[in-house]
Structure formats: C-alpha cells, structure tokens
Amino acid sequence: MEPGGEQRSFPAGLARAAIWALPPPALQAGASALLRGIGRRHPRLFRDLASLPPARILIAPTDLPHRFLLTLGGGPPRLSLAAATESFTASLKGRFAALIDLLEGRLDGDTLFFSRALTLTGDTAAVVGLRNTLDRETIDLLSEAAALFGPFAAPARAAARRLERLVDLAHRRIVLLHAALHAADPQGRSAPHPTPHPATAPDLSRLRTDLDRLAGRLAALEGKERRRPHGKAA
Amino acid sequence: MNPPRYLELVCPAGTPAALSTAVDAGADTVYCGFRDATNARNYPGLNFDPIEMREGIAYAHARGRRVLIAVNTFPRAGETALWHDAVDRAAALGADAVILADLGVLDYAARRHPGLRRHLSVQAAAANPLAINFYHRRFGISRVVLPRVLAVSEVAALVGAISVETEVFAFGSLGTMVEGRCYLSSYITGRSPSCDGVCAPAEHVSYREEGDDLLASLGDAVMNRFAPGEPRSYPTPCKGRFVTLGTPSYLFEEPVGLNATAILPELKAAGVTALKIEGRQRGRAYVAEVVRTFRTILDQLADGRPAPPVSASLLALTEGGQQTFGAYRPGWR
C-alpha cells in the first residue's frame, strides 16, 4: 500500500501549452505511450479498469482544442483523440488542470461537481466507476510523462518543472504588465515589449542544456513511433 | 492503540488509498466496507476486497490506529449469508470493531464473535436510552453512532442515560430522513440505501445540459435544475427541488453539509467519545483535507488553545457549498 499525502504538482500549464502546439498524430502517439506506461507501472489499476463494464468516455478539457476518448471494457483501456462526431456513452467536461488534479487524486470529484468545475453527462455509473478506480492508485503524471524519455526521465522532469516555472512567471508578468499598461494607458495606444527578467536567466540557461539533451531522445522516439505497425498503439 | 487526546476522530475510507491518506492525515480510526451490498456506500469501484482490507488494517495498526468495518445494511429476506460472511471476514481480518444495524446480524456477531467489538450503526436509528440500552443489554454493543436528529443538549442527556460510548457526526452529507428507514429512492430505482447501500444508484443517475442549465435526474424523474453559477447537489429525492403550487423549492432539505467544527468543545462537554466524518464515497483529496483540518483543531483544543476559525477549505467541500450545524442547534428544519 502506498502512503497517502502530498504529491508533486503536475505542470498542467506547460502540458496544456504542449497539447496546443502538438500536431494530432504526435499527440495521439504521446497519449497512447503515456497510457501504456501507466499500465506497466500500475498493473493493479489496469486490472481494475479492465474489470469495469464497457464504456466510451469522452474527456473534454474546456480550455484545449482537443478532446479525448477513453475506451473501457474488453481488455486494457485505450486513450485516443476524439473526432468531432465521436460517439460516446459518457462525457466529462472541465478545465485541463482540474481534470489532471482529479486523475492524480489532488481534487475530489464531488467537490468539483458541486462547484460546477466539472460536468458529466451520460452513463454516470461508468464515470463513478472510473473515478473510484483511479482514486485507488497514486499516479504521478509528471513521472509517467518523464518516463517516456527512458534514461532521460530525470532531466526531462527537471526541464518540465523549470519550463513550468518560466511559463508561470511569464504568465504572471504578462498579467502584471497588462494591469500596469491598462492603468497607465487605458486607451491602449502604446504597447512596449517585455524584456527577459534577470531572475529567469539561470533557469533559461539550464533549460537550454536540458532541451538539447532531450532533443536526440525525442527524435529517436518519433522514429520508433513511425516504424510501429499500424493498430499497435494502445 | 494510541488513546485520543480530546475526541476520537473516526474517518471514512472508500479505497485503500483513502485509508492510508486518512491515517497519514491524523485519523485515530478509519471505517470502511467490503465491495458488496453489506455496507451503506455500495458504489462502482468503491470499497475493499479481503486482501486490500487485510493490507489496510495492517497499515493502520502499524501506526497505532484502528479500523472499523461497516456491515450496516439490512439483509434481504433469504439472503443473510452475505452479511454473516462479511462479519466472519471482518473478524478473521483483525478489524477493531464491526458497525452493525440489523438485529439478526447483531445477534449473529454477538454469538459467533463475542470478542469482536460491536458498534451500533446510525442506520439502526437508535436515538433514545431505551433503544440503546436494549442493544447494549441484548447484543453487547460498545458504542452507538447517534442519528443526526439530536440537539447538543439532547446528546448530553442521552449520554447520561446510557452505558456505552457515543459517536456523533461532525462533518459531511446530511440526511433529514430517519436513517435506516428511508426507502424513498427505491420507489424510483428499486434500490435503497437501507438494503442495497445506495441512495442514488449511479446507474440511475443522469445529467443533461439544457441550454445553460444542468438537469439532474434519478431514473426518469428530474430531481433538480441548476442554473449557471448555482452550486450543485446529489440528485437524491430528499434533496430534490420540486415544483409545488407553481414554485420550485427544496421540500425536504436544502443541499447543505454538516460542519460541527465550531461546537466541538460543546460535544466534548456533552460526553461524546468520538467524531465521525461522513464521506466514504468521496475521493482521497476530500479525506486528506477534512482529516487534516479536524486533526489540527482537535490538537489545539487538546492543548487548551482555542479552535481556529472555521476553515474556508472545508466549506468548499460541502454539498451545495453551504454548511450547517444541523440538529445540534435548535431551529434546523
């Protein structure tokens, strides 16, 4: 049994930015690989998910351009990008960060539902079964995503954290800048360029090094994914 | 086991992960159930198989905490074997007590496992000295979980008239119906909390968006229509909003959660032994937040310091985003 308690925070902002940027085939491959990795590290979770009744659950992050389809029943679960016309038996809708927090057990599903941060439609039993089954395991999604980089998992995780900090810092600076500009120039006639903040320089430098090291690994992964026979993605 | 310093904190666990979370967050005792109709939270993916229960008990005992197993639904006629088996399993796995409601199951446990502590579930709806003393005399119960219908002064009077420990609800979902006697949802779904462990069975619950509103239904009956910005609640008949005389209103109960953090010294003074947190159907994030908050408050009170103000984080966890003292204070509906 794994002890409960605080878990590391998944860089949801960074992941969201990456999902926006990735082309659908790469996103599909990444989602499938991520799920396969979770299955390898959490066999009991996959056994429990496989025992749930068949269901097609549409996962719709409201702040992303993509929707995902989780297929349960008849073997290991499958995660794929959902087409606009995709048929489903239940749907879960909420902000990406809230869905990730739910998956990692940082937020309670009923609390999200009460506060309207989460909306579900369709087969409620399928969603309740999925939520309770996921809540039985402690999933560290950042580690799972970093594990895709094999021996480079540790630097990938560190890079993700640094990048998330930079994204977060940049976001907060933009908000402050926007507020300052609005106060100084309510008509919006001038818009000066922000300059890099000195506090970000060490992170930026380490990030460049990390990203250089990861680039080779990513290329190898993409090649491997291209050589994979069709229909093998789970 | 470690003796509680102020009031024993009894916390819910619907999954093994929630059990370890509750223990790590400071629960003195954790209550849970098997994956079947023998407990009052029988939802898909919830509860423990025997191996998980054994592991959970070992985890708690290694840290000086207790585990109670709820076998607190009422057997259907001719189907008592499942309930008897659950009591046997609880005894074999080393549970610290079983939480029971049915007379027959209480009798079975008292005869077969006299050394296993028996707590009387809230589902038995025993709220007066005559009933509680009967259960004590006849089935040797060590503790009663009081129904959520008593004022603090009534709890104090009751404690003085009985010879068993009392456990009272301190946080979580609130029922207005007589506990253990409610079959309201069974008229719609064919299943009830009292016999099947489900009040709003998930397979009968559905949500539908209609414009900006969300419609929540149980079976074919719409229980509520939530406008944008309105907090939501479970679609159970007792918390439904129904149109009567042309006006929609909550006929039985507003969607609201019990929060007794501000009156814990009063409950202690009333002679209560233990505080129960409701919510085995909730995720481990709920368990972590509620248990941590109560642990902090109880430790402060044990040290003679005043309790901190009511936590906003607890309010966020409550059904409908509202909290109440319920029947502990006069005037509750």
Side-chain angles (χ1 to χ4, degrees):
Chain A
M1 177 173 293
E2 298 173 40
E6 290 298 326
Q7 298 162 29
R8 287 177 187 164
S9 180
F10 178 74
L14 174 63
R16 202 170 69 87
I19 293 173
W20 267 98
L22 280 174
L27 189 56
Q28 171 71 69
S32 298
L34 187 65
L35 197 63
R36 278 199 302 273
I38 292 174
R40 276 195 297 275
R41 273 171 291 281
H42 298 272
R44 189 170 59 178
L45 171 66
F46 261 42
R47 183 203 67 201
D48 290 346
L49 287 172
S51 71
L52 292 173
R56 291 165 60 81
I57 301 176
L58 184 77
I59 300 165
T62 52
D63 49 352
L64 279 179
H66 302 292
R67 306 184 309 163
F68 302 87
L69 186 71
L70 180 66
T71 308
L72 301 174
R78 297 178 299 282
L79 184 66
S80 55
L81 276 179
T85 55
E86 197 79 60
S87 66
F88 53 89
T89 53
S91 75
L92 259 181
K93 198 163 69 176
R95 292 181 65 82
F96 180 67
L99 293 169
I100 294 296
D101 283 344
L102 184 63
L103 170 68
E104 292 195 311
R106 272 195 303 277
L107 286 180
D108 168 62
D110 288 10
T111 303
L112 289 172
F113 170 75
F114 294 152
S115 65
R116 307 181 66 91
L118 190 72
T119 296
L120 70 97
T121 62
D123 182 357
T124 306
V127 176
V128 170
L130 172 65
R131 182 204 65 180
N132 289 338
T133 303
L134 288 172
D135 208 54
R136 305 175 82 81
E137 291 271 332
T138 303
I139 298 172
D140 178 352
L141 206 54
L142 175 58
S143 292
E144 296 297 343
L148 295 175
F149 294 93
F152 293 89
R157 196 165 39 230
R161 287 227 170 82
R162 258 177 227 127
L163 202 49
E164 175 75 356
R165 273 202 302 274
L166 289 169
V167 168
D168 183 51
L169 191 59
H171 175 73
R172 276 185 282 144
R173 289 198 66 219
I174 287 168
V175 170
L176 285 174
L177 188 64
H178 183 268
L181 279 174
H182 189 74
D185 182 17
Q187 304 303 317
R189 283 184 295 267
S190 61
H193 253 293
T195 51
H197 193 283
T200 63
D203 267 338
L204 272 173
S205 167
R206 281 195 293 270
L207 185 63
R208 279 194 199 99
T209 312
D210 289 344
L211 289 179
D212 286 345
R213 291 167 67 192
L214 290 171
R217 176 68 184 160
L218 272 171
L221 269 176
E222 281 173 8
K224 198 171 156 187
E225 205 56 50
R226 272 198 298 274
R227 288 192 297 277
R228 183 186 294 278
H230 288 298
K232 285 279 186 182
Chain B
M1 301 297 155
N2 309 329
R5 294 175 59 214
Y6 192 78
L7 288 166
E8 181 183 335
L9 184 56
V10 182
C11 302
T15 63
L19 185 148
S20 53
T21 297
V23 168
D24 295 346
D28 296 307
T29 302
V30 180
Y31 67 102
C32 40
F34 292 117
R35 300 185 88 166
D36 53 40
T38 61
N39 78 91
R41 289 289 183 273
N42 180 23
Y43 290 97
L46 213 59
N47 295 319
F48 293 62
D49 65 28
I51 294 170
E52 291 168 336
M53 191 68 87
R54 186 186 298 282
E55 289 176 356
I57 290 171
Y59 188 88
H61 284 179
R63 290 155 183 81
R65 320 300 171 81
R66 303 174 190 84
V67 175
L68 317 179
I69 298 181
V71 187
N72 60 344
T73 48
F74 296 87
R76 287 178 294 266
E79 293 183 32
T80 51
L82 183 63
W83 279 258
H84 293 173
D85 182 50
V87 172
D88 293 341
R89 268 182 282 154
L93 292 170
D96 296 283
V98 279
I99 308 171
L100 311 173
D102 179 72
L103 288 170
V105 179
L106 275 159
D107 182 63
Y108 178 85
R111 288 170 191 271
R112 287 293 181 93
H113 306 285
L116 177 62
R117 260 175 78 97
R118 293 169 293 286
H119 292 186
L120 188 65
S121 170
V122 68
Q123 289 284 93
N128 62 69
L130 283 176
I132 296 166
N133 287 333
F134 169 78
Y135 280 108
H136 173 56
R137 216 170 38 244
R138 196 64 198 251
F139 305 114
I141 61 160
S142 305
R143 177 180 295 183
V144 57
V145 184
L146 293 180
R148 288 160 273 194
V149 295
L150 300 170
V152 176
S153 56
E154 292 170 325
V155 172
L158 186 61
V159 169
I162 59 176
S163 49
V164 298
E165 299 170 356
T166 49
E167 181 176 310
V168 298
F169 281 88
F171 190 85
S173 197
L174 197 61
T176 47
M177 301 304 172
V178 179
E179 286 165 291
R181 309 280 193 275
C182 181
Y183 290 86
L184 196 55
S185 61
S186 69
Y187 292 98
I188 299 173
T189 66
R191 302 174 77 198
S192 76
S194 302
C195 287
D196 303 282
V198 278
C199 189
E203 66 273 24
H204 291 271
V205 170
S206 62
Y207 299 97
R208 183 163 52 88
E209 290 179 290
E210 198 174 274
D212 289 335
D213 290 353
L214 183 78
L215 268 64
S217 299
L218 188 64
D220 294 331
V222 176
M223 292 289 128
N224 217 328
R225 173 190 283 270
F226 301 104
E230 220 179 3
R232 299 169 181 164
S233 57
Y234 295 121
T236 57
C238 65
K239 292 171 189 169
R241 183 160 41 179
F242 304 107
V243 179
T244 47
L245 302 174
T247 307
S249 67
Y250 290 101
L251 286 183
F252 305 108
E253 184 186 30
E254 305 261 346
V256 62
L258 174 70
N259 183 357
T261 48
I263 56 169
L264 298 183
E266 291 176 51
L267 293 170
K268 169 81 173 160
V272 163
T273 301
L275 300 174
K276 192 181 201 87
I277 308 296
E278 184 274 346
R280 278 190 290 137
Q281 77 284 12
R282 305 289 293 264
R284 63 180 191 270
Y286 165 93
V287 171
E289 184 62 41
V290 178
V291 178
R292 240 191 331 254
T293 304
F294 269 82
R295 181 77 274 152
T296 303
I297 295 171
L298 290 173
D299 286 348
Q300 292 198 5
L301 292 170
D303 292 340
R305 289 178 288 155
V310 173
S311 162
S313 62
L314 287 187
L315 180 60
L317 299 172
T318 57
E319 189 177 5
Q322 302 181 81
Q323 56 192 7
T324 176
F325 291 122
Y328 290 135
R329 285 273 188 268
W332 184 59
R333 57 191 299 168

